[in-house]
Amino acid sequence: MAIQINPGSHVPIYQQIVNGLREAIAAGVYLRGEMLPSHRDLAVQVRVNPNTVQRAYEVLEREGLVHARRGLGMFVTNRAVRTAKAGAEDHVRQVLQDAIARGLAAGMAPEALREQFEEVLDEACAPRGGRR
Amino acid sequence: MAIQINPGSHVPIYQQIVNGLREAIAAGVYLRGEMLPSHRDLAVQVRVNPNTVQRAYEVLEREGLVHARRGLGMFVTNRAVRTAKAGAEDHVRQVLQDAIARGLAAGMAPEALREQFEEVLDEACAPRGGRR
Amino acid sequence: MAIQINPGSHVPIYQQIVNGLREAIAAGVYLRGEMLPSHRDLAVQVRVNPNTVQRAYEVLEREGLVHARRGLGMFVTNRAVRTAKAGAEDHVRQVLQDAIARGLAAGMAPEALREQFEEVLDEACAPRGGRR
Amino acid sequence: MAIQINPGSHVPIYQQIVNGLREAIAAGVYLRGEMLPSHRDLAVQVRVNPNTVQRAYEVLEREGLVHARRGLGMFVTNRAVRTAKAGAEDHVRQVLQDAIARGLAAGMAPEALREQFEEVLDEACAPRGGRR
DNA sequence: GTGGTCTAGACCACT
DNA sequence: GTGGTCTAGACCACT
């Protein structure tokens, strides 16, 4: 539910927050017209400096997913869900392209890639007890 | 054949070089005992500072894929191909996990992910004429 | 207290810094959870380029003695003291092995080596007045 | 008997050869007036480029341990044994000082250092079967 | 201010 | 020519 930050990743933290929020909006966690958590609250949740969250919010605003109402907060725009869905799918497609290109470059057969994909997908969908 | 560098990526250039060489070794481009291009030559090829290539070579040496012989060059170790293959497959798996996790987080159905995967895989395998 | 650099030594400066910090951690100068001096500060102290200190910090991080927190600094890990002590003792043992092997190779009697050792140890332990 | 080269050491190879020959002369392996192996022969023995051996010979000549007779070879000087012994002992003393200083810096007790010294000395003196 | 990456250029040891 | 170390200085992400 909360956005997961991977500090070891090369992706900047503010960008990870952008991705996480975009996916949450695409998935309907935040509906149109709803207010996002304040940058301070979200900063506490993801254990990050408030400035970093603010930077993420600026990016989302530039993308038109949210707009700021001074003194009130950041609100999900009308076209946000549609835009976020497209954005998230584009993103997924790019990552898939990267994975496949790397696998082929390393000499993996397409079938081997497909097997890995199915395995990982199964794991990701499988209901697990102890998810923390 | 040559290593592709994406300067806009968040992945550091030296790490992109590491990934590219690891995949090349896994794919048998460099066989055991063979010499890699000198860091100065590779730097010219990928249009990057020699120090950056050298840093990549240090990482590969730490991973045991190559070893330096002073005054001679960097050479592919005996166990390099095996290690590189495992490393490259691990890497692919991680990227796949990332793509799938993001897709599910954004509310995509497993079937939609599978479709995207197959599409991208087809494109990647399809023989194309004039693409450089 | 400060790390001593010997610019004439064949040991690279960054390695001398690694050794000095490892010994300091082993001796309890930096306790677990404490922050090391920033690489810029330490660079000023030991009169060396900041990049050189940073390289030393990378080695210590790889050894698991410290970990970086972006924007905050380098911090001594929990297992650092234990690891550093073992590492420092190993290092001492290696240097002793080298000294003894060289002495024997040069035809010195074991007893002569022992005498030298005791003399040097006495000098090193003797409280001296004005030496800075 | 043959000079041992450690390619991982930070000490330059030519310097390792100098040290090895100085110790051999100190130990009486080469007597005054005797000829050292040609730099080509020694290069083959220690598996190193002839230029590197030549550089070592130049250092030894500057130290007065050997002198070159053109077309004949390098010959051990009259005062070589005496000088080599003193040089080797100085060298040993310096390495001992280094080891002890490091141990103390890392918080080792003098007694612990003494124990290590005795252990290492025992091992070095113990006659071993399979010494290659 | 703190760590991380990169460039440009110098000098050394070894082949 | 090849790897290894070092300096000087720039820019980015994060606090």
Side-chain angles (χ1 to χ4, degrees):
Chain A
M1 190 140 276
I3 293 169
Q4 288 298 333
I5 298 299
N6 177 1
S9 162
H10 295 116
V11 181
I13 293 177
Y14 78 87
Q15 186 66 51
Q16 296 187 46
I17 296 173
V18 168
N19 294 339
L21 288 173
R22 193 193 292 120
E23 288 154 11
I25 291 172
V29 174
Y30 301 108
L31 302 176
R32 70 149 93 160
E34 262 189 17
M35 197 181 99
L36 259 49
S38 84
H39 71 266
R40 269 178 262 269
D41 280 1
L42 188 51
V44 171
Q45 275 181 46
V46 300
R47 298 170 145 275
V48 125
N49 190 290
N51 293 334
T52 304
V53 178
Q54 203 154 23
R55 188 165 175 187
Y57 278 6
E58 284 166 18
V59 175
L60 287 171
E61 191 166 24
R62 240 179 293 130
E63 291 185 1
L65 296 186
V66 300
H67 67 278
R69 282 200 242 155
R70 300 214 12 184
L72 292 176
M74 308 287 309
F75 292 84
V76 178
T77 61
N78 286 337
R79 69 179 186 288
V81 176
R82 200 170 54 246
T83 311
K85 252 182 185 144
E89 288 186 16
D90 274 10
H91 190 186
V92 167
R93 190 176 193 92
Q94 275 173 30
V95 183
L96 282 176
Q97 271 174 345
D98 183 46
I100 288 172
R102 298 195 161 289
L104 296 175
M108 292 179 71
E111 189 50 42
L113 284 166
R114 190 174 284 119
E115 264 177 47
Q116 280 229 359
F117 174 84
E118 294 295 339
E119 264 182 51
V120 173
L121 183 59
D122 273 7
E123 281 168 26
C125 294
R128 280 160 302 179
R131 205 188 189 293
R132 59 149 180 159
Chain B
M1 192 138 272
I3 291 172
Q4 287 300 333
I5 298 300
N6 176 0
S9 163
H10 295 116
V11 180
I13 295 176
Y14 77 87
Q15 186 64 52
Q16 296 186 46
I17 297 173
V18 168
N19 295 339
L21 288 173
R22 195 193 290 119
E23 287 155 13
I25 291 173
V29 174
Y30 300 108
L31 302 176
R32 71 148 86 165
E34 265 188 17
M35 194 181 116
L36 259 47
S38 87
H39 69 263
R40 286 180 243 256
D41 277 2
L42 188 51
V44 170
Q45 278 180 43
V46 301
R47 297 168 150 279
V48 116
N49 188 287
N51 290 337
T52 303
V53 178
Q54 203 161 21
R55 186 163 182 187
Y57 279 7
E58 280 170 25
V59 174
L60 288 172
E61 190 166 28
R62 224 184 303 138
E63 291 184 359
L65 297 188
V66 300
H67 70 277
R69 280 200 247 158
R70 319 226 315 194
L72 292 176
M74 309 285 313
F75 295 84
V76 178
T77 61
N78 286 335
R79 68 178 186 289
V81 177
R82 203 168 52 244
T83 310
K85 254 182 185 144
E89 289 186 14
D90 274 11
H91 189 190
V92 167
R93 191 178 192 91
Q94 276 173 29
V95 182
L96 282 176
Q97 271 174 345
D98 184 46
I100 288 172
R102 298 194 161 290
L104 296 176
M108 292 177 71
E111 189 50 42
L113 283 167
R114 190 174 283 118
E115 264 175 48
Q116 280 228 357
F117 175 84
E118 294 295 341
E119 263 180 54
V120 174
L121 183 58
D122 273 6
E123 281 168 29
C125 295
R128 279 158 305 177
R131 207 189 188 289
R132 61 146 189 154
Chain C
M1 193 138 271
I3 292 171
Q4 287 299 333
I5 298 300
N6 176 0
S9 163
H10 295 116
V11 181
I13 296 175
Y14 77 86
Q15 186 64 51
Q16 296 186 47
I17 295 173
V18 167
N19 295 339
L21 288 173
R22 196 193 290 119
E23 287 155 13
I25 291 172
V29 174
Y30 300 108
L31 302 177
R32 72 147 85 162
E34 265 188 17
M35 194 181 115
L36 258 48
S38 86
H39 70 263
R40 285 180 242 257
D41 277 2
L42 188 51
V44 171
Q45 278 180 43
V46 301
R47 296 168 150 277
V48 117
N49 188 287
N51 290 337
T52 304
V53 178
Q54 203 161 20
R55 185 164 182 187
Y57 278 7
E58 279 171 24
V59 174
L60 288 171
E61 190 166 28
R62 225 184 301 139
E63 291 185 359
L65 297 189
V66 300
H67 69 278
R69 279 200 248 158
R70 318 225 316 195
L72 292 175
M74 310 284 314
F75 294 84
V76 178
T77 61
N78 286 336
R79 67 179 186 289
V81 176
R82 201 168 52 244
T83 309
K85 252 183 186 144
E89 289 187 14
D90 274 11
H91 190 192
V92 166
R93 192 177 193 91
Q94 275 174 27
V95 182
L96 281 176
Q97 271 174 344
D98 184 46
I100 287 172
R102 298 195 160 289
L104 295 176
M108 291 178 71
E111 189 50 41
L113 283 167
R114 191 174 283 120
E115 263 175 47
Q116 280 227 358
F117 175 83
E118 294 294 341
E119 264 180 53
V120 174
L121 184 58
D122 273 6
E123 281 168 28
C125 295
R128 280 158 304 179
R131 208 188 188 290
R132 63 147 188 153
Chain D
M1 190 142 274
I3 293 169
Q4 287 299 333
I5 298 299
N6 176 2
S9 163
H10 295 116
V11 180
I13 294 178
Y14 79 87
Q15 186 65 52
Q16 295 186 46
I17 296 173
V18 168
N19 294 339
L21 289 173
R22 193 193 291 120
E23 288 154 12
I25 292 172
V29 173
Y30 301 109
L31 301 177
R32 70 149 94 162
E34 264 188 17
M35 197 181 99
L36 259 48
S38 84
H39 71 266
R40 270 178 260 268
D41 281 1
L42 189 50
V44 171
Q45 274 181 46
V46 301
R47 298 167 145 274
V48 125
N49 190 289
N51 293 334
T52 305
V53 178
Q54 204 154 23
R55 186 164 176 189
Y57 278 4
E58 283 166 19
V59 175
L60 287 171
E61 191 166 24
R62 238 178 295 129
E63 290 185 0
L65 295 187
V66 300
H67 67 279
R69 282 201 244 157
R70 301 215 9 184
L72 291 177
M74 309 287 310
F75 293 84
V76 178
T77 61
N78 287 336
R79 66 178 188 289
V81 177
R82 200 169 56 246
T83 310
K85 253 184 185 145
E89 289 187 14
D90 274 10
H91 190 186
V92 167
R93 189 177 195 92
Q94 275 173 29
V95 182
L96 283 176
Q97 271 173 344
D98 184 46
I100 288 172
R102 297 196 161 288
L104 296 176
M108 291 178 71
E111 188 50 41
L113 283 166
R114 191 174 283 120
E115 264 177 47
Q116 280 229 358
F117 175 84
E118 294 295 340
E119 265 181 50
V120 173
L121 184 57
D122 272 8
E123 281 168 28
C125 293
R128 279 161 302 177
R131 203 187 192 293
R132 59 148 183 162

